[in-house]
Amino acid sequence: MSGDILQRLLDTIDWGRLPAHIAIIMDGNGRWATERGLPRAFGHRAGMDSLKDIVRICGELKISYLTVYAFSTENWKRPMQEVNVLMDLLVEYLGREINELCQTGVRLNPIGRLGELPLRAQNALQAAVERTRANEGLSLNIALNYGGRVEIVDMVRSIAEDVKKGYISIEQIDEKLVSSCLYTTGQPDPDLLIRPSGDLRISNFLLWQLAYTEFWHTDILWPDFRRVHLLQALVDYQRRERRFGGLKNVNST
Ligand code: IPE
Ligand code: IPE
Ligand code: MG
């Protein structure tokens, strides 16, 4: 049955109009565990399987960029034990998946204030970045200790520094320069943002980059999110009309 649904979705997709960049807020791990009477850590572990499946299908579909929100600048407010579990799972994920990531051409690009992460996480990230550096398939941005506001603060600081040093003038500050000073420098803005688990907010994710992104949300919790849901999101995305502030099909005035 689910194979039928998958096939129907695959038949519906217009392969020439896939999004170049998909962003996902991987939310709902805690609720998934609580629903089962399990500690929240089980939900975070189960969420890793969803990530594995989604990275794999994005690679198969030849999506260029996938940005996943794994740990926000606000998530430090959680109990230390939960933060530790999340950091341990990150290290485990990288160790376990690195071979497959390499085989499938995935290039890992962590984004966020990485220098504030625990050393074990920084080391594992650095090793994975080095090993995947030359890969030319999917660019996987993992947002860690990431906050959209902090990213904007970092951008403002770097531009201010360049102005102070006389490298650029104030007149040269434009949207292109701002974009190039964000963590996603050189990448197109996300075409599609997916938020599972029913909450309708962006929770400080990619504040600048989401200006004209199509939002897609579902009540499915992240640990239950699989390729069939991603394909459903793609089908819905392709039905949308993106106007970017203009008008549709304007041939004459
Ligand atoms: C997402 O799941 C993982 C992180 C935010 C790190 P949550 O832990 O937020 O799960 P819920 O929202 O409590 O269900
Ligand atoms: C957003 O989820 C951050 C990540 C998924 C990493 P949260 O669970 O932290 O967001 P809020 O608190 O519901 O807005
Ligand atoms: Mg949450």
Side-chain angles (χ1 to χ4, degrees):
M1 180 61 182
S2 89
D4 287 353
I5 297 173
L6 211 60
Q7 195 51 54
R8 200 154 6 99
L9 290 166
L10 287 167
D11 292 344
T12 312
I13 286 172
D14 176 349
W15 300 102
R17 285 196 311 120
L18 287 175
H21 188 166
I22 299 174
I24 304 181
I25 299 175
M26 304 190 290
D27 196 22
N29 297 350
R31 277 163 279 181
W32 185 93
T34 305
E35 275 179 6
R36 286 161 178 75
L38 296 167
R40 293 174 59 86
F42 283 73
H44 295 313
R45 177 170 287 285
M48 285 206 304
D49 294 333
S50 303
L51 179 60
K52 185 182 164 82
D53 196 39
I54 297 311
V55 168
R56 207 181 258 173
I57 184 155
C58 283
E60 289 167 13
L61 296 177
K62 308 242 179 303
I63 301 292
S64 300
Y65 300 94
L66 172 66
T67 302
V68 291
Y69 205 3
F71 191 86
S72 76
T73 44
E74 288 71 39
N75 287 148
W76 297 108
K77 293 176 192 164
R78 297 187 180 199
M80 200 172 68
Q81 195 203 354
E82 179 163 343
V83 170
N84 282 334
V85 163
L86 287 163
M87 296 302 155
D88 288 344
L89 285 173
L90 169 68
V91 174
E92 184 183 323
Y93 172 82
L94 294 171
R96 214 174 63 185
E97 296 303 316
I98 189 69
N99 286 336
E100 180 170 335
L101 294 177
C102 281
Q103 278 158 18
T104 51
V106 175
R107 189 162 182 270
L108 193 82
N109 179 40
I111 58 169
R113 284 199 176 163
L114 307 176
E116 293 166 7
L117 292 172
L119 220 51
R120 65 188 190 287
Q122 289 188 49
N123 291 338
L125 284 165
Q126 203 187 336
V129 167
E130 271 161 27
R131 272 200 62 192
T132 63
R133 195 182 296 282
N135 292 346
E136 290 178 349
L138 174 74
S139 283
L140 174 61
N141 298 325
I142 302 196
L144 288 158
N145 192 23
Y146 173 88
R149 288 185 170 180
V150 152
E151 179 179 33
I152 289 171
V153 168
D154 286 349
M155 173 272 294
V156 171
R157 282 185 186 165
S158 93
I159 292 179
E161 192 71 31
D162 282 355
V163 171
K164 193 169 130 194
K165 287 180 177 151
Y167 298 158
I168 53 164
S169 66
I170 287 180
E171 291 68 35
Q172 284 173 292
I173 301 173
D174 58 11
E175 291 188 19
K176 206 166 146 220
L177 180 71
V178 167
S179 292
S180 74
C181 293
L182 297 173
Y183 305 150
T184 49
T185 178
Q187 303 183 7
D189 290 337
D191 302 290
L192 173 64
L193 170 72
I194 296 173
R195 182 157 191 161
S197 305
D199 286 321
L200 302 179
R201 53 179 172 257
I202 53 175
S203 303
N204 202 14
F205 192 37
L206 302 174
L207 296 180
W208 170 277
Q209 297 90 332
L210 294 178
Y212 271 102
T213 302
E214 296 294 326
F215 280 28
W216 191 84
H217 64 90
T218 171
D219 288 337
I220 302 277
L221 303 171
W222 175 247
D224 291 326
F225 194 96
R226 285 295 180 276
R227 56 179 58 209
V228 65
H229 307 110
L230 185 92
L231 294 175
Q232 183 63 62
L234 291 176
V235 167
D236 288 349
Y237 163 81
Q238 292 188 332
R239 290 197 188 114
R240 308 263 183 99
E241 182 186 293
R242 302 185 75 187
R243 291 186 294 276
F244 299 96
L247 301 175
K248 192 202 173 194
N249 292 336
V250 181
N251 300 319
S252 57
T253 48

